[in-house]
Amino acid sequence: MALDKIGIAKRIAQEVQDGFYVNLGIGIPTLVANYVRDDIEVEFQSENGVLGMGPFPFDGEEDADIINAGKQTITTLPGASFFDSAMSFAMIRGKHVDLTILGAMEVAENGDIANWKIPGKMVKGMGGAMDLVASAENIIVAMMHTNKHGDSKILKRCSLPLTGVGCVTKVVTNLAVLEVKDHQFHLIERAPGVSVQEIQEATEATLIVKGEIPEMTL
Amino acid sequence: MALDKIGIAKRIAQEVQDGFYVNLGIGIPTLVANYVRDDIEVEFQSENGVLGMGPFPFDGEEDADIINAGKQTITTLPGASFFDSAMSFAMIRGKHVDLTILGAMEVAENGDIANWKIPGKMVKGMGGAMDLVASAENIIVAMMHTNKHGDSKILKRCSLPLTGVGCVTKVVTNLAVLEVKDHQFHLIERAPGVSVQEIQEATEATLIVKGEIPEMTL
Amino acid sequence: MINKKVNNVEEALVGVQSEMTFMLGGFGLCGIPENAISELVKLNVREITCISNNAGVDNFGLGLLLQNKQVKKMISSYVGENDEFERQMLSGELEVELTPQGTLAEKCRAAQAGFPAFYTPAGYGTEVAEGKETREFDGKMYVLEAAYKADFAFIKAWKGDAAGNLIFKGTSRNFNPNMCGAATITVAEVEEMVAVGVLDPDNVHVPGIFVQRIFQGEGYEKRIEQRTVRQKK
Amino acid sequence: MINKKVNNVEEALVGVQSEMTFMLGGFGLCGIPENAISELVKLNVREITCISNNAGVDNFGLGLLLQNKQVKKMISSYVGENDEFERQMLSGELEVELTPQGTLAEKCRAAQAGFPAFYTPAGYGTEVAEGKETREFDGKMYVLEAAYKADFAFIKAWKGDAAGNLIFKGTSRNFNPNMCGAATITVAEVEEMVAVGVLDPDNVHVPGIFVQRIFQGEGYEKRIEQRTVRQKK
């Protein structure tokens, strides 16, 4: 059965390792924080200027001056720090953030990603996404395998304006985990009960399938 | 009579205007702080990371962690701040410092300055001088008019390796105040009792002398 | 101590004119110069260019200037959450320049620090790099981005003193420190003006040298865009 | 919270080898990593390159590494106050690269922040610009300067916590924050290690993400180079 958003978040949470500084994009990525193993040490960075984010505040304790990049009220954990935007992107551009998790409209087998603009539609902007994908060495995309019309979002080449080139390292969708290596998508894991064939049919890009593909364990 | 170092410092102090942020170099420039009118508001910046320097500490109150760029123990005044070296030079390079006063071995009529290196001798380095002279728009040089051999240090062209090009706006020596304008030294004031002729004889560069040249009032 | 204090927002904005370029601090509605924005609406300066990470919401923040049709051009990284913005943009009334967020911050910092331009990897291979110089360093491609120029920077700080020293609270810091000194005149408004000497010199976020005018702000709303909470168990 | 705390200077310097490049914070003898320097002398690593604004005095600071002939190359802005340095430099034993102070700070910050190079006006028209690209922006000339690369950065802070967060006192801050995260491994020594949560998140000078190892330093001498005082009247 294909995963829901929470399932995708749970699977991505398995990629978070002990000692990682992690930047989470808006949407599914934000959910990842809820499913990280609690026996490892991880710190969450938000590009609007906070390191060491905690859970949402208790009702009545929210503070307009303490938000995340999604403009949500948050709390901080002991050891947290606040800083300006230039320093925040020094962390990102300088590769001090170990893992970036973000959503996408399209990803391509050359590692390209498109997630900020649909020509002819209102463009809201790239926010910090272009800095993140141009800098990070470990970029995981959280997305649905196909759009609402059933068209694949896992492509040979992106059709939408790019956010970054050759940068995506892994994609976790409702159907599969894909690794981007040598300009190809490699199928690593299947969602529980989803067949390789179903994944291939939902994938426009060439999919490298080697040996037995295990099911995810969530 | 030619000025001594204190006389030069006193004359330069007259150039410090209300509301100025001032960076003082090592040597004579440091003395300038002592002679600034006390009815104006001035703040002293030191490039090692302090704004709002005060006088030397009282004996026994010196703090190894609070020094100026000359490595002297200092104090700070109310409203002072400490910051890192990158921010310190952001103040300098970004033209937020209004006046830079520094010493020189040679200045030339095109505004060039040499004050960091004598070929064949031990070179101590330029410190922050190259950043200061490349950035500031208001640079006053404090120096003796001639070297210990009696040779002019006010030249058509610098003979020593340069610290900066076309940057000096004013020179205050033991003999005169000179303004650098349109690639020429203009004689503005004479030291008390020093004649125009004496100044011209001590000056290798072409000296523009227009009308009556007043004596400095100290 | 050089005194930067002015009595009110009217004095703080003396010299503001139509067709000028303004920097405005804030991320979403967090840390925005509410008083300066209100005064800009009152002054009704037209055809202005605003450099700000976001464009406010319909009835607050920069949205107020948009509603009043004062803005000719917005330079931002993200401009959602604003219907009037969308209408003006799609109709062509409003010019929009989208810039990656880190690039936006650094273009301000470059202006503050006297750097004319810098190379960043952000946007390489995308529309953002079109028409810009690109260059390889150590096998990676970078885009040359120029420092911003602005006439006024409007800053919101938590506390400040007459020397112009500023400190910020939480994530309301964001772009504010990077915009200080990045414009010809930097105007800071503070929630609380403290006596000179109260701020710890070690903990000043923005030294007063970067600020030309400072005033005690009034009536801060500090709206929350996404009130997210959890329940006590 | 990611724990960066190590037990002592020996653990903090694991991996240090001959022929490496080190950044060392400090201005004169103010804010220098005294413990790390002592340990480098003990480890007796040879042929090292040191990036540090100054080179210490004869019998303290970086002068200790020079006396022990461990330094192949110094990259500094000012290297006076050191006879052994002078002897080695004039005899050709020691390679010296002099860099304007602001450029030195920014080359560290560029490494920290992921910028490969930047344009600065400092040194244009001088020996410093020889062999470097120069370029005009808005009628003014600039020199292209590259980010530094280093294996270790040795930082001295006033207080720190196990998360790697640092705060500095007075002018002992200087180059230290700009070198954090500018090397492969950043080692911070602190005068006082405080419990996580003690440092105010608004007043952290260097967030822990830039620091790989932190330890409680010992026996700080904090020598004063120029003791200048005035007498009480």
Side-chain angles (χ1 to χ4, degrees), chain A residues 17-49:
Chain A
Q17 294 174 29
D18 190 29
F20 266 18
Y21 292 97
V22 183
N23 181 291
L24 300 177
I26 296 165
I28 300 175
T30 302
L31 301 172
V32 171
N34 300 329
Y35 303 104
V36 173
R37 284 162 49 195
D38 55 11
D39 62 336
I40 60 174
E41 291 177 341
V42 174
E43 286 187 38
F44 293 102
Q45 195 254 17
S46 194
E47 64 265 28
N48 60 316

PDB file of all heavy atoms in Angstrom, chain A residues 17-49:
ATOM      1  N   GLN A  17      20.836  10.697  11.072  1.00  0.00           N
ATOM      2  CA  GLN A  17      21.829   9.983  11.873  1.00  0.00           C
ATOM      3  C   GLN A  17      22.258  10.778  13.097  1.00  0.00           C
ATOM      4  O   GLN A  17      22.105  11.987  13.173  1.00  0.00           O
ATOM      5  CB  GLN A  17      23.056   9.668  11.007  1.00  0.00           C
ATOM      6  CG  GLN A  17      22.759   8.678   9.887  1.00  0.00           C
ATOM      7  CD  GLN A  17      23.944   8.507   8.960  1.00  0.00           C
ATOM      8  OE1 GLN A  17      25.095   8.665   9.362  1.00  0.00           O
ATOM      9  NE2 GLN A  17      23.666   8.217   7.706  1.00  0.00           N
ATOM     10  N   ASP A  18      22.825  10.060  14.018  1.00  0.00           N
ATOM     11  CA  ASP A  18      23.326  10.649  15.256  1.00  0.00           C
ATOM     12  C   ASP A  18      24.317  11.772  14.928  1.00  0.00           C
ATOM     13  O   ASP A  18      25.227  11.597  14.125  1.00  0.00           O
ATOM     14  CB  ASP A  18      24.026   9.566  16.083  1.00  0.00           C
ATOM     15  CG  ASP A  18      24.348  10.043  17.486  1.00  0.00           C
ATOM     16  OD1 ASP A  18      23.621  10.905  18.018  1.00  0.00           O
ATOM     17  OD2 ASP A  18      25.339   9.548  18.061  1.00  0.00           O
ATOM     18  N   GLY A  19      24.127  12.918  15.540  1.00  0.00           N
ATOM     19  CA  GLY A  19      25.062  14.031  15.354  1.00  0.00           C
ATOM     20  C   GLY A  19      24.744  14.916  14.169  1.00  0.00           C
ATOM     21  O   GLY A  19      25.518  15.813  13.847  1.00  0.00           O
ATOM     22  N   PHE A  20      23.615  14.682  13.521  1.00  0.00           N
ATOM     23  CA  PHE A  20      23.252  15.468  12.340  1.00  0.00           C
ATOM     24  C   PHE A  20      22.593  16.799  12.713  1.00  0.00           C
ATOM     25  O   PHE A  20      21.726  16.858  13.572  1.00  0.00           O
ATOM     26  CB  PHE A  20      22.244  14.689  11.480  1.00  0.00           C
ATOM     27  CG  PHE A  20      22.848  13.867  10.376  1.00  0.00           C
ATOM     28  CD1 PHE A  20      24.193  13.524  10.374  1.00  0.00           C
ATOM     29  CD2 PHE A  20      22.053  13.416   9.322  1.00  0.00           C
ATOM     30  CE1 PHE A  20      24.732  12.753   9.350  1.00  0.00           C
ATOM     31  CE2 PHE A  20      22.580  12.645   8.296  1.00  0.00           C
ATOM     32  CZ  PHE A  20      23.922  12.317   8.315  1.00  0.00           C
ATOM     33  N   TYR A  21      23.015  17.845  11.992  1.00  0.00           N
ATOM     34  CA  TYR A  21      22.248  19.087  11.951  1.00  0.00           C
ATOM     35  C   TYR A  21      21.363  18.990  10.718  1.00  0.00           C
ATOM     36  O   TYR A  21      21.854  18.687   9.616  1.00  0.00           O
ATOM     37  CB  TYR A  21      23.168  20.295  11.832  1.00  0.00           C
ATOM     38  CG  TYR A  21      24.000  20.527  13.070  1.00  0.00           C
ATOM     39  CD1 TYR A  21      25.312  20.067  13.151  1.00  0.00           C
ATOM     40  CD2 TYR A  21      23.463  21.198  14.163  1.00  0.00           C
ATOM     41  CE1 TYR A  21      26.069  20.276  14.295  1.00  0.00           C
ATOM     42  CE2 TYR A  21      24.214  21.413  15.308  1.00  0.00           C
ATOM     43  CZ  TYR A  21      25.513  20.950  15.366  1.00  0.00           C
ATOM     44  OH  TYR A  21      26.257  21.159  16.492  1.00  0.00           O
ATOM     45  N   VAL A  22      20.076  19.256  10.894  1.00  0.00           N
ATOM     46  CA  VAL A  22      19.114  18.998   9.827  1.00  0.00           C
ATOM     47  C   VAL A  22      18.266  20.239   9.561  1.00  0.00           C
ATOM     48  O   VAL A  22      17.792  20.884  10.490  1.00  0.00           O
ATOM     49  CB  VAL A  22      18.189  17.819  10.216  1.00  0.00           C
ATOM     50  CG1 VAL A  22      17.226  17.500   9.081  1.00  0.00           C
ATOM     51  CG2 VAL A  22      18.999  16.594  10.604  1.00  0.00           C
ATOM     52  N   ASN A  23      18.108  20.537   8.282  1.00  0.00           N
ATOM     53  CA  ASN A  23      17.185  21.601   7.875  1.00  0.00           C
ATOM     54  C   ASN A  23      15.979  20.956   7.222  1.00  0.00           C
ATOM     55  O   ASN A  23      16.117  20.183   6.264  1.00  0.00           O
ATOM     56  CB  ASN A  23      17.861  22.570   6.899  1.00  0.00           C
ATOM     57  CG  ASN A  23      16.920  23.691   6.478  1.00  0.00           C
ATOM     58  OD1 ASN A  23      15.954  23.468   5.767  1.00  0.00           O
ATOM     59  ND2 ASN A  23      17.215  24.903   6.929  1.00  0.00           N
ATOM     60  N   LEU A  24      14.801  21.271   7.740  1.00  0.00           N
ATOM     61  CA  LEU A  24      13.560  20.680   7.238  1.00  0.00           C
ATOM     62  C   LEU A  24      12.755  21.716   6.462  1.00  0.00           C
ATOM     63  O   LEU A  24      12.489  22.804   6.974  1.00  0.00           O
ATOM     64  CB  LEU A  24      12.713  20.186   8.405  1.00  0.00           C
ATOM     65  CG  LEU A  24      13.338  19.123   9.310  1.00  0.00           C
ATOM     66  CD1 LEU A  24      12.385  18.814  10.468  1.00  0.00           C
ATOM     67  CD2 LEU A  24      13.649  17.854   8.531  1.00  0.00           C
ATOM     68  N   GLY A  25      12.378  21.378   5.256  1.00  0.00           N
ATOM     69  CA  GLY A  25      11.518  22.262   4.478  1.00  0.00           C
ATOM     70  C   GLY A  25      10.093  22.230   4.989  1.00  0.00           C
ATOM     71  O   GLY A  25       9.750  21.500   5.925  1.00  0.00           O
ATOM     72  N   ILE A  26       9.263  23.031   4.331  1.00  0.00           N
ATOM     73  CA  ILE A  26       7.860  23.140   4.710  1.00  0.00           C
ATOM     74  C   ILE A  26       7.094  21.931   4.154  1.00  0.00           C
ATOM     75  O   ILE A  26       7.459  21.380   3.121  1.00  0.00           O
ATOM     76  CB  ILE A  26       7.292  24.471   4.173  1.00  0.00           C
ATOM     77  CG1 ILE A  26       8.024  25.632   4.864  1.00  0.00           C
ATOM     78  CG2 ILE A  26       5.802  24.587   4.378  1.00  0.00           C
ATOM     79  CD1 ILE A  26       7.845  26.974   4.190  1.00  0.00           C
ATOM     80  N   GLY A  27       6.039  21.501   4.848  1.00  0.00           N
ATOM     81  CA  GLY A  27       5.210  20.385   4.375  1.00  0.00           C
ATOM     82  C   GLY A  27       5.644  19.065   5.009  1.00  0.00           C
ATOM     83  O   GLY A  27       5.929  19.024   6.206  1.00  0.00           O
ATOM     84  N   ILE A  28       5.708  18.009   4.198  1.00  0.00           N
ATOM     85  CA  ILE A  28       6.084  16.688   4.719  1.00  0.00           C
ATOM     86  C   ILE A  28       7.393  16.754   5.520  1.00  0.00           C
ATOM     87  O   ILE A  28       7.481  16.176   6.599  1.00  0.00           O
ATOM     88  CB  ILE A  28       6.215  15.652   3.578  1.00  0.00           C
ATOM     89  CG1 ILE A  28       4.885  15.491   2.829  1.00  0.00           C
ATOM     90  CG2 ILE A  28       6.660  14.289   4.134  1.00  0.00           C
ATOM     91  CD1 ILE A  28       4.963  14.559   1.612  1.00  0.00           C
ATOM     92  N   PRO A  29       8.429  17.452   5.023  1.00  0.00           N
ATOM     93  CA  PRO A  29       9.691  17.470   5.772  1.00  0.00           C
ATOM     94  C   PRO A  29       9.525  17.907   7.220  1.00  0.00           C
ATOM     95  O   PRO A  29      10.191  17.367   8.119  1.00  0.00           O
ATOM     96  CB  PRO A  29      10.555  18.450   4.973  1.00  0.00           C
ATOM     97  CG  PRO A  29      10.065  18.309   3.570  1.00  0.00           C
ATOM     98  CD  PRO A  29       8.578  18.127   3.708  1.00  0.00           C
ATOM     99  N   THR A  30       8.647  18.880   7.465  1.00  0.00           N
ATOM    100  CA  THR A  30       8.440  19.351   8.834  1.00  0.00           C
ATOM    101  C   THR A  30       8.014  18.206   9.751  1.00  0.00           C
ATOM    102  O   THR A  30       8.377  18.154  10.929  1.00  0.00           O
ATOM    103  CB  THR A  30       7.375  20.469   8.865  1.00  0.00           C
ATOM    104  OG1 THR A  30       7.815  21.522   8.014  1.00  0.00           O
ATOM    105  CG2 THR A  30       7.171  21.009  10.261  1.00  0.00           C
ATOM    106  N   LEU A  31       7.244  17.261   9.176  1.00  0.00           N
ATOM    107  CA  LEU A  31       6.742  16.126   9.967  1.00  0.00           C
ATOM    108  C   LEU A  31       7.861  15.180  10.403  1.00  0.00           C
ATOM    109  O   LEU A  31       7.715  14.439  11.371  1.00  0.00           O
ATOM    110  CB  LEU A  31       5.704  15.329   9.163  1.00  0.00           C
ATOM    111  CG  LEU A  31       4.463  16.089   8.701  1.00  0.00           C
ATOM    112  CD1 LEU A  31       3.629  15.209   7.762  1.00  0.00           C
ATOM    113  CD2 LEU A  31       3.640  16.521   9.903  1.00  0.00           C
ATOM    114  N   VAL A  32       8.973  15.208   9.661  1.00  0.00           N
ATOM    115  CA  VAL A  32      10.055  14.256   9.940  1.00  0.00           C
ATOM    116  C   VAL A  32      10.528  14.349  11.386  1.00  0.00           C
ATOM    117  O   VAL A  32      10.850  13.343  12.023  1.00  0.00           O
ATOM    118  CB  VAL A  32      11.243  14.476   8.957  1.00  0.00           C
ATOM    119  CG1 VAL A  32      12.450  13.647   9.363  1.00  0.00           C
ATOM    120  CG2 VAL A  32      10.810  14.125   7.531  1.00  0.00           C
ATOM    121  N   ALA A  33      10.564  15.584  11.911  1.00  0.00           N
ATOM    122  CA  ALA A  33      11.062  15.795  13.278  1.00  0.00           C
ATOM    123  C   ALA A  33      10.338  14.923  14.289  1.00  0.00           C
ATOM    124  O   ALA A  33      10.929  14.500  15.297  1.00  0.00           O
ATOM    125  CB  ALA A  33      10.926  17.273  13.654  1.00  0.00           C
ATOM    126  N   ASN A  34       9.073  14.629  14.006  1.00  0.00           N
ATOM    127  CA  ASN A  34       8.279  13.850  14.962  1.00  0.00           C
ATOM    128  C   ASN A  34       8.683  12.379  15.047  1.00  0.00           C
ATOM    129  O   ASN A  34       8.299  11.680  15.970  1.00  0.00           O
ATOM    130  CB  ASN A  34       6.787  13.907  14.579  1.00  0.00           C
ATOM    131  CG  ASN A  34       6.260  15.321  14.576  1.00  0.00           C
ATOM    132  OD1 ASN A  34       6.723  16.167  15.350  1.00  0.00           O
ATOM    133  ND2 ASN A  34       5.307  15.597  13.691  1.00  0.00           N
ATOM    134  N   TYR A  35       9.430  11.901  14.040  1.00  0.00           N
ATOM    135  CA  TYR A  35       9.671  10.455  13.965  1.00  0.00           C
ATOM    136  C   TYR A  35      11.146  10.072  14.061  1.00  0.00           C
ATOM    137  O   TYR A  35      11.516   8.924  13.811  1.00  0.00           O
ATOM    138  CB  TYR A  35       9.046   9.908  12.676  1.00  0.00           C
ATOM    139  CG  TYR A  35       7.583  10.217  12.604  1.00  0.00           C
ATOM    140  CD1 TYR A  35       7.094  11.218  11.777  1.00  0.00           C
ATOM    141  CD2 TYR A  35       6.682   9.555  13.443  1.00  0.00           C
ATOM    142  CE1 TYR A  35       5.743  11.548  11.752  1.00  0.00           C
ATOM    143  CE2 TYR A  35       5.335   9.877  13.434  1.00  0.00           C
ATOM    144  CZ  TYR A  35       4.870  10.871  12.580  1.00  0.00           C
ATOM    145  OH  TYR A  35       3.541  11.183  12.588  1.00  0.00           O
ATOM    146  N   VAL A  36      11.981  11.034  14.415  1.00  0.00           N
ATOM    147  CA  VAL A  36      13.402  10.716  14.575  1.00  0.00           C
ATOM    148  C   VAL A  36      13.584   9.921  15.869  1.00  0.00           C
ATOM    149  O   VAL A  36      12.980  10.246  16.893  1.00  0.00           O
ATOM    150  CB  VAL A  36      14.243  12.017  14.621  1.00  0.00           C
ATOM    151  CG1 VAL A  36      15.689  11.706  14.955  1.00  0.00           C
ATOM    152  CG2 VAL A  36      14.140  12.744  13.288  1.00  0.00           C
ATOM    153  N   ARG A  37      14.389   8.860  15.787  1.00  0.00           N
ATOM    154  CA  ARG A  37      14.674   8.032  16.970  1.00  0.00           C
ATOM    155  C   ARG A  37      15.106   8.932  18.127  1.00  0.00           C
ATOM    156  O   ARG A  37      15.859   9.882  17.934  1.00  0.00           O
ATOM    157  CB  ARG A  37      15.831   7.067  16.671  1.00  0.00           C
ATOM    158  CG  ARG A  37      15.483   5.885  15.819  1.00  0.00           C
ATOM    159  CD  ARG A  37      16.729   5.254  15.219  1.00  0.00           C
ATOM    160  NE  ARG A  37      17.777   5.030  16.214  1.00  0.00           N
ATOM    161  CZ  ARG A  37      19.054   4.754  15.903  1.00  0.00           C
ATOM    162  NH1 ARG A  37      19.427   4.692  14.632  1.00  0.00           N
ATOM    163  NH2 ARG A  37      19.937   4.553  16.848  1.00  0.00           N
ATOM    164  N   ASP A  38      14.635   8.573  19.316  1.00  0.00           N
ATOM    165  CA  ASP A  38      14.988   9.461  20.418  1.00  0.00           C
ATOM    166  C   ASP A  38      16.260   9.046  21.141  1.00  0.00           C
ATOM    167  O   ASP A  38      16.633   9.632  22.146  1.00  0.00           O
ATOM    168  CB  ASP A  38      13.815   9.644  21.390  1.00  0.00           C
ATOM    169  CG  ASP A  38      13.304   8.327  21.912  1.00  0.00           C
ATOM    170  OD1 ASP A  38      13.986   7.303  21.698  1.00  0.00           O
ATOM    171  OD2 ASP A  38      12.222   8.328  22.527  1.00  0.00           O
ATOM    172  N   ASP A  39      16.949   8.035  20.615  1.00  0.00           N
ATOM    173  CA  ASP A  39      18.233   7.659  21.229  1.00  0.00           C
ATOM    174  C   ASP A  39      19.415   8.253  20.467  1.00  0.00           C
ATOM    175  O   ASP A  39      20.559   7.895  20.712  1.00  0.00           O
ATOM    176  CB  ASP A  39      18.366   6.140  21.312  1.00  0.00           C
ATOM    177  CG  ASP A  39      18.353   5.488  19.935  1.00  0.00           C
ATOM    178  OD1 ASP A  39      17.806   6.103  18.993  1.00  0.00           O
ATOM    179  OD2 ASP A  39      18.888   4.371  19.803  1.00  0.00           O
ATOM    180  N   ILE A  40      19.140   9.164  19.531  1.00  0.00           N
ATOM    181  CA  ILE A  40      20.240   9.841  18.842  1.00  0.00           C
ATOM    182  C   ILE A  40      20.134  11.347  19.067  1.00  0.00           C
ATOM    183  O   ILE A  40      19.070  11.863  19.406  1.00  0.00           O
ATOM    184  CB  ILE A  40      20.279   9.531  17.323  1.00  0.00           C
ATOM    185  CG1 ILE A  40      18.990   9.984  16.634  1.00  0.00           C
ATOM    186  CG2 ILE A  40      20.539   8.051  17.081  1.00  0.00           C
ATOM    187  CD1 ILE A  40      19.040   9.841  15.118  1.00  0.00           C
ATOM    188  N   GLU A  41      21.271  12.000  18.886  1.00  0.00           N
ATOM    189  CA  GLU A  41      21.326  13.455  19.078  1.00  0.00           C
ATOM    190  C   GLU A  41      21.258  14.153  17.726  1.00  0.00           C
ATOM    191  O   GLU A  41      22.113  13.947  16.867  1.00  0.00           O
ATOM    192  CB  GLU A  41      22.625  13.846  19.785  1.00  0.00           C
ATOM    193  CG  GLU A  41      22.683  13.387  21.233  1.00  0.00           C
ATOM    194  CD  GLU A  41      24.017  13.718  21.895  1.00  0.00           C
ATOM    195  OE1 GLU A  41      25.007  13.960  21.162  1.00  0.00           O
ATOM    196  OE2 GLU A  41      24.065  13.721  23.127  1.00  0.00           O
ATOM    197  N   VAL A  42      20.243  14.959  17.584  1.00  0.00           N
ATOM    198  CA  VAL A  42      20.016  15.672  16.326  1.00  0.00           C
ATOM    199  C   VAL A  42      19.626  17.103  16.671  1.00  0.00           C
ATOM    200  O   VAL A  42      18.980  17.334  17.687  1.00  0.00           O
ATOM    201  CB  VAL A  42      18.873  15.006  15.526  1.00  0.00           C
ATOM    202  CG1 VAL A  42      18.514  15.815  14.296  1.00  0.00           C
ATOM    203  CG2 VAL A  42      19.246  13.587  15.152  1.00  0.00           C
ATOM    204  N   GLU A  43      20.060  18.075  15.845  1.00  0.00           N
ATOM    205  CA  GLU A  43      19.576  19.441  16.041  1.00  0.00           C
ATOM    206  C   GLU A  43      18.957  19.946  14.749  1.00  0.00           C
ATOM    207  O   GLU A  43      19.500  19.731  13.666  1.00  0.00           O
ATOM    208  CB  GLU A  43      20.714  20.376  16.481  1.00  0.00           C
ATOM    209  CG  GLU A  43      21.130  20.147  17.930  1.00  0.00           C
ATOM    210  CD  GLU A  43      22.136  21.185  18.418  1.00  0.00           C
ATOM    211  OE1 GLU A  43      22.011  22.362  18.041  1.00  0.00           O
ATOM    212  OE2 GLU A  43      23.053  20.798  19.169  1.00  0.00           O
ATOM    213  N   PHE A  44      17.835  20.631  14.903  1.00  0.00           N
ATOM    214  CA  PHE A  44      17.136  21.172  13.743  1.00  0.00           C
ATOM    215  C   PHE A  44      17.443  22.655  13.580  1.00  0.00           C
ATOM    216  O   PHE A  44      17.360  23.431  14.533  1.00  0.00           O
ATOM    217  CB  PHE A  44      15.630  20.934  13.871  1.00  0.00           C
ATOM    218  CG  PHE A  44      15.276  19.478  13.795  1.00  0.00           C
ATOM    219  CD1 PHE A  44      14.971  18.753  14.938  1.00  0.00           C
ATOM    220  CD2 PHE A  44      15.299  18.818  12.574  1.00  0.00           C
ATOM    221  CE1 PHE A  44      14.677  17.391  14.866  1.00  0.00           C
ATOM    222  CE2 PHE A  44      15.009  17.463  12.492  1.00  0.00           C
ATOM    223  CZ  PHE A  44      14.700  16.750  13.636  1.00  0.00           C
ATOM    224  N   GLN A  45      17.816  22.996  12.340  1.00  0.00           N
ATOM    225  CA  GLN A  45      18.115  24.380  11.991  1.00  0.00           C
ATOM    226  C   GLN A  45      16.980  24.909  11.157  1.00  0.00           C
ATOM    227  O   GLN A  45      16.457  24.196  10.290  1.00  0.00           O
ATOM    228  CB  GLN A  45      19.426  24.414  11.188  1.00  0.00           C
ATOM    229  CG  GLN A  45      20.060  25.788  11.052  1.00  0.00           C
ATOM    230  CD  GLN A  45      19.903  26.418   9.665  1.00  0.00           C
ATOM    231  OE1 GLN A  45      19.072  26.017   8.868  1.00  0.00           O
ATOM    232  NE2 GLN A  45      20.688  27.442   9.407  1.00  0.00           N
ATOM    233  N   SER A  46      16.579  26.130  11.402  1.00  0.00           N
ATOM    234  CA  SER A  46      15.606  26.761  10.524  1.00  0.00           C
ATOM    235  C   SER A  46      16.242  28.024   9.967  1.00  0.00           C
ATOM    236  O   SER A  46      16.850  28.805  10.699  1.00  0.00           O
ATOM    237  CB  SER A  46      14.316  27.086  11.282  1.00  0.00           C
ATOM    238  OG  SER A  46      13.296  27.388  10.353  1.00  0.00           O
ATOM    239  N   GLU A  47      16.114  28.208   8.657  1.00  0.00           N
ATOM    240  CA  GLU A  47      16.916  29.236   7.986  1.00  0.00           C
ATOM    241  C   GLU A  47      16.529  30.655   8.365  1.00  0.00           C
ATOM    242  O   GLU A  47      17.260  31.598   8.043  1.00  0.00           O
ATOM    243  CB  GLU A  47      16.867  29.048   6.465  1.00  0.00           C
ATOM    244  CG  GLU A  47      15.504  29.234   5.830  1.00  0.00           C
ATOM    245  CD  GLU A  47      14.761  27.921   5.656  1.00  0.00           C
ATOM    246  OE1 GLU A  47      15.003  26.984   6.455  1.00  0.00           O
ATOM    247  OE2 GLU A  47      13.927  27.836   4.741  1.00  0.00           O
ATOM    248  N   ASN A  48      15.413  30.831   9.058  1.00  0.00           N
ATOM    249  CA  ASN A  48      15.092  32.185   9.512  1.00  0.00           C
ATOM    250  C   ASN A  48      15.887  32.578  10.756  1.00  0.00           C
ATOM    251  O   ASN A  48      15.740  33.702  11.246  1.00  0.00           O
ATOM    252  CB  ASN A  48      13.589  32.342   9.763  1.00  0.00           C
ATOM    253  CG  ASN A  48      13.066  31.403  10.816  1.00  0.00           C
ATOM    254  OD1 ASN A  48      13.418  30.227  10.823  1.00  0.00           O
ATOM    255  ND2 ASN A  48      12.252  31.895  11.711  1.00  0.00           N
ATOM    256  N   GLY A  49      16.739  31.659  11.251  1.00  0.00           N
ATOM    257  CA  GLY A  49      17.682  32.086  12.279  1.00  0.00           C
ATOM    258  C   GLY A  49      17.619  31.393  13.624  1.00  0.00           C
ATOM    259  O   GLY A  49      17.774  32.047  14.660  1.00  0.00           O
TER     260      GLY A  49
END
